[in-house]
Amino acid sequence: MRPEKIGIIGSGLIGRAWAMLFASAGYRVVLYDILPEQVSTALEEIEKELHALEAKSALRGTYSVAQQLSFISGTVELSELVSNAIYLQECIPERIEWKRKLYTDLAAIVGAETIIGSSTSTYMPSLFSEQMTSHRENVLVAHPLNPPYYIPLVEIVPSPWTKPEFVTRTRDLMLEIGQKPVTLTREIEGFITNRIQYAILNEVWRLVADGVVSVADVDRVMTEGLGLRYALLGPLETAHLNADGVADYFQRFGGEVYAVSQTYGPTPKWWQVRRYRRLQPNVRKWCRESS
Ligand code: NAD
């Protein structure tokens, strides 16, 4: 086991996955939760999960299940968790007031060199670190995609006051545990993944709601087409290879990209569900058929 300690705050779905990822790289991992039973459940679930992964030959890292389990322990004392940790991964529910309270508490006990990465999917790091009276430069977002054990992407998002060195260190740490980090230069709503995901969702929904294509067929466009391509090549790489370089691509096809883009409708107002409600049975049926 490596001597460096990693603290996980919140022992739910994502906290457990992070614990397994850090343990797979040999880190000493301590799990914390406000509910003591959550910690014991998490330790039991991790044990089952690691054995299941081993049986499927999907266990990560070079350590055995027994070794990885011995690297992970639990606590219900936040101060004990934080003490001597090089990195804390916060995984508490997506409630901004809960996050702000936790970060306020952490400000009083965290070490100057301890990085705090939040798993949040939606909140920019300034939203829950601005009120901290000290060490707010230690806070950033390290957003995984679910399930993190299988999907390696991690979005690292700094607040305006995050120390650049902590961003670099987090990126290195993610690489070390076998994840694939991307670093944003500044915080932005939705980070990168959700911005792209929402653009797709908006257009998919408009096309179905306007009766242009069925629910099953629009999903098939992703699963049998674009998704397969994007599993191998990013959009810019695709553009580059589709022409004599990316500049040539936009020279040749930019007019068409622009013309089609002009025909997109307004952003759907997702909370005005009446227009979309009639689609729900179709989506449900498609999910049943495809699963
Ligand atoms: P979860 O509900 O499964 O687990 C949250 C855990 O945090 C619970 O065990 C709860 O008891 C504990 N908790 C609550 N308040 C706490 C506190 N103050 N201190 C310590 N522990 C506390 O939630 P989750 O799905 O694991 O999500 C955690 C975070 O990860 C959220 O910010 C979420 O947005 C993010 N995330 C979730 C997913 C996903 O698909 N579930 C994907 C990426 C990121």
Side-chain angles (χ1 to χ4, degrees), residues 10-12 15-16 19-20 31 33 36-49 69 72:
S11 307
R16 295 199 295 259
M20 288 161 51
L31 271 169
D33 205 286
E37 65 274 19
Q38 276 292 94
V39 177
S40 37
T41 305
L43 294 172
E44 285 163 21
E45 290 297 323
I46 288 172
E47 181 166 2
K48 279 191 225 153
E49 185 81 13
L69 283 173
I72 307 173

Side-chain angles (χ1 to χ4, degrees), residues 138-186:
N138 299 32
V139 176
L140 44 76
V141 164
H143 171 230
L145 265 64
N146 195 32
Y149 203 82
Y150 296 100
I151 302 185
L153 186 75
V154 179
E155 297 182 290
I156 301 177
V157 188
S159 75
W161 41 80
T162 305
K163 202 168 158 184
E165 188 192 326
F166 291 154
V167 174
T168 312
R169 268 198 232 167
T170 304
R171 190 181 171 97
D172 291 346
L173 184 61
M174 293 300 147
L175 286 170
E176 209 182 337
I177 65 171
Q179 298 302 86
K180 299 278 188 257
V182 294
T183 309
L184 279 64
T185 57
R186 63 180 172 86

